Amino acid sequence: MNILVLGSGGREHTFAHQIIKSQQCDKLFVAPGNAGTAGIATNVAIGVNDFAEIKKLVLKESIRMVVVGPEDPLVNGIYDFFKEDEALKSVIVIGPSKRGALLEGSKERAKEFMAAHNIPTAAYKSFTAASVEAGKQFLETLQAPYVLKADGLAAGKGVLILQDLVEAKAELEDMLTNKKFGTASETVVIEEFLDGIELSVFVLTDGKNYLTLPTAKDYKRIGEGDTGLNTGGMGAISPVPFADADFMKKIEEQVVKPTVLGLQKENIEYKGFIFIGLIKVGEEPKVIEYNVRMGDPETEAVLPRVKNDLVEVFEHVGKETLDQVTLDLDARSAVTVVAVSGGYPEAYEKGKVITGIDTVQSATVFHAGTTAKDGAIVTNGGRVLAVTSFDIDFRKALINSYQNLEKIDFEGMYYRKDLGFDL
Ligand code: AMP
Ligand code: GLY
């Protein structure tokens, strides 16, 4: 069958890389894609939110499966757009319905869902401009650090963690009254600070059955030792060494099962990934967020460990027969290290020529912000590429990715050299 992957990051290059291995895949399209996907599939210059153009492409190329990478089109209702259209409704769309996507699109909605289904999470209250004074009073009842979350999508910037009460009140005011994050901060969730170590769990569901994919830990800060500004993610390690069988059982019983059952009870159509951000507090899992897609760069470490035919797995998702699939996982660890443009996550330049990708050995380079120009591959984004390696020992895998990154170069290139320092 012909397949379309939506998105342009390392996550989408990884999806494409796995999908083209499938016997079931005839032609693969990526919209809009990057230089990496151009090497293995056909890139089409269509934005992920341009549903009308996506429809034309799907009909013209007889595409039977659409794999949605980022959250934006999901929150905007791409699943429903397909299911409500006579000509498109038989296409398998990997991603939740708009109602399902609200678990990521609204933090308040996610908290309500967790409360309704007894899923462990931080205590919280939410506020609007009309209740800003009540919000300040609520802050006074809490201990530092204070956690403020813009309700809506804010490109990963909507969460503030503040040590000082005066500053927390001022930020709350700024978010609600001055709309610091636009409409995303018309509602703000204030929640209890959870002290512990983070990990992510990935679930693929057809709405009834589910598979738990490998865990991963992402490194979000730009600086070594987890310092500096937040980024989309500077690298990931899978599996997470501290997520032993006992802890995974707790996650499954207390978080994964009630989440999938909750979707069913609320009649929410959900045929896609659930990315659950967790903090291990003592020995207990607590959910900090849901995402309704795979993580980036977590995908670059998680998906290469899945040895199943990915297209066949997605077909089972479409048919709601995921109970017939058994995951076949590579027992080795996988790590991915992200190389970024100088200046990222603040201002950076694009168009820098990238050299050395073809010298990489025993590792896979997944492209993120790259494009082809005048016969060269040049930088085209903040996160430029991710180098994935495998080994029984994640530390050895990291050494391999680092050795390969030394062979890659572009002006201003930066990557963290301390991944795994906390494990
Ligand atoms: P989120 O966008 O909800 O994942 O939040 C971004 C980051 O803020 C998370 O990855 C955590 O590091 C941190 N965070 C979010 N909520 C909490 C919390 N309740 N307690 C401690 N840290 C948190
Ligand atoms: N790496 C974090 C995310 O994809 O949201």
Side-chain angles (χ1 to χ4, degrees):
M1 75 171 93
N2 295 345
I3 302 172
L4 169 65
V5 172
L6 287 179
S8 60
R11 169 180 53 209
E12 288 75 20
H13 188 193
T14 313
F15 273 126
H17 181 263
Q18 299 298 89
I19 288 170
I20 52 157
K21 290 190 217 164
S22 169
Q23 296 289 332
Q24 311 298 322
C25 178
D26 295 319
K27 277 197 221 160
L28 178 64
F29 299 87
V30 185
N34 57 37
T37 61
I40 55 174
T42 303
N43 281 358
V44 189
I46 298 176
V48 296
N49 290 305
D50 191 346
F51 296 175
E53 286 301 313
I54 292 169
K55 174 177 176 177
K56 279 191 212 158
L57 176 73
V58 166
L59 295 179
K60 177 167 162 257
E61 301 292 351
S62 305
I63 287 165
R64 305 297 308 149
M65 178 183 286
V66 178
V67 181
V68 186
E71 62 276 17
D72 256 30
L74 294 166
V75 172
N76 292 337
I78 192 161
Y79 179 91
D80 312 70
F81 176 82
F82 271 72
K83 298 303 147 186
E84 286 159 10
D85 188 307
E86 272 313 310
L88 298 177
K89 71 180 191 194
S90 65
V91 175
I92 298 171
V93 178
I94 300 299
S97 64
K98 191 169 182 165
R99 280 179 67 219
L102 259 190
L103 286 183
E104 177 166 358
S106 165
K107 303 253 183 213
E108 187 182 35
R109 161 69 181 136
K111 298 297 285 192
E112 284 167 1
F113 180 86
M114 288 184 256
H117 304 290
N118 259 317
I119 295 162
T121 185
Y124 81 103
K125 278 196 174 155
S126 50
F127 300 92
T128 62
S131 55
V132 62
E133 289 310 318
K136 289 182 189 171
Q137 280 165 20
F138 181 61
L139 283 170
E140 282 173 12
T141 69
L142 302 175
Q143 306 276 324
Y146 305 96
V147 183
L148 308 184
K149 299 185 171 187
D151 176 57
L153 293 182
K157 298 195 178 82
V159 176
L160 302 179
I161 297 181
L162 304 157
Q163 294 299 330
D164 181 71
L165 180 62
V166 175
E167 203 188 334
K169 286 182 180 175
E171 286 289 356
L172 181 68
E173 172 103 43
D174 205 22
M175 286 166 92
L176 290 173
T177 315
N178 305 331
K179 298 198 182 143
K180 176 172 181 154
F181 299 106
T183 53
S185 65
E186 278 174 359
T187 298
V188 171
V189 170
I190 300 179
E191 68 176 34
E192 166 201 10
F193 179 80
L194 299 174
D195 198 3
I197 185 157
E198 278 181 54
L199 76 156
S200 300
V201 172
F202 301 92
V203 174
L204 178 63
T205 183
D206 59 16
K208 289 190 201 146
N209 312 288
Y210 66 87
L211 295 172
T212 305
L213 300 170
T215 57
K217 191 173 189 312
D218 172 23
Y219 290 82
K220 284 206 175 84
R221 303 293 197 92
I222 188 73
E224 289 175 6
D226 284 343
T227 55
L229 293 174
N230 256 326
T231 70
M234 297 296 291
I237 296 175
S238 173
V240 179
F242 63 81
D244 58 19
D246 284 349
F247 188 58
M248 288 308 293
K249 182 119 192 78
K250 283 188 183 173
I251 293 175
E252 175 127 21
E253 295 301 326
Q254 297 176 25
V255 178
V256 178
K257 277 188 190 165
T259 297
V260 175
L261 212 58
L263 293 170
Q264 263 175 276
K265 283 185 188 156
E266 297 191 24
N267 278 317
I268 294 173
E269 272 193 71
Y270 203 118
K271 291 187 162 71
F273 293 97
I274 316 173
F275 159 177
I276 307 171
L278 296 156
I279 297 192
K280 185 182 184 199
V281 182
E283 288 304 314
E284 300 307 315
K286 299 237 184 196
V287 177
I288 42 173
E289 65 167 348
Y290 287 113
N291 295 300
V292 298
R293 52 174 173 85
M294 281 298 288
D296 194 351
E298 292 91 333
T299 304
E300 292 92 301
V302 169
L303 216 54
R305 294 187 58 215
V306 177
K307 295 199 273 185
N308 302 62
D309 181 317
L310 195 59
V311 177
E312 281 178 11
V313 174
F314 286 160
E315 285 186 296
H316 281 288
V317 172
K319 288 186 291 190
E320 299 181 9
T321 52
L322 209 50
D323 53 330
Q324 293 173 22
V325 178
T326 307
L327 275 182
D328 181 13
L329 298 180
D330 192 321
R332 295 174 299 169
S333 289
V335 306
T336 197
V337 182
V338 176
V340 304
S341 297
Y344 174 82
E346 297 186 283
Y348 57 84
E349 291 176 11
K350 293 183 186 177
K352 308 293 181 193
V353 174
I354 307 168
T355 57
I357 292 178
D358 47 352
T359 66
V360 165
Q361 282 172 328
S362 323
T364 309
V365 178
F366 293 114
H367 291 234
T370 69
T371 191
K373 194 180 171 199
D374 306 329
I377 294 175
V378 302
T379 65
N380 192 39
R383 291 189 291 171
V384 175
L385 47 84
V387 179
T388 297
S389 302
F390 281 95
D391 199 282
I392 295 291
D393 179 351
F394 76 83
R395 290 179 186 84
K396 286 193 186 149
L398 279 167
I399 290 169
N400 189 63
S401 278
Y402 287 136
Q403 283 172 346
N404 278 298
L405 275 156
E406 279 174 25
K407 301 191 252 176
I408 299 175
D409 189 47
F410 53 87
E411 193 188 314
M413 172 173 157
Y414 167 78
Y415 53 92
R416 273 180 63 170
K417 298 187 180 64
D418 71 333
L419 299 192
F421 77 97
D422 54 344
L423 297 175

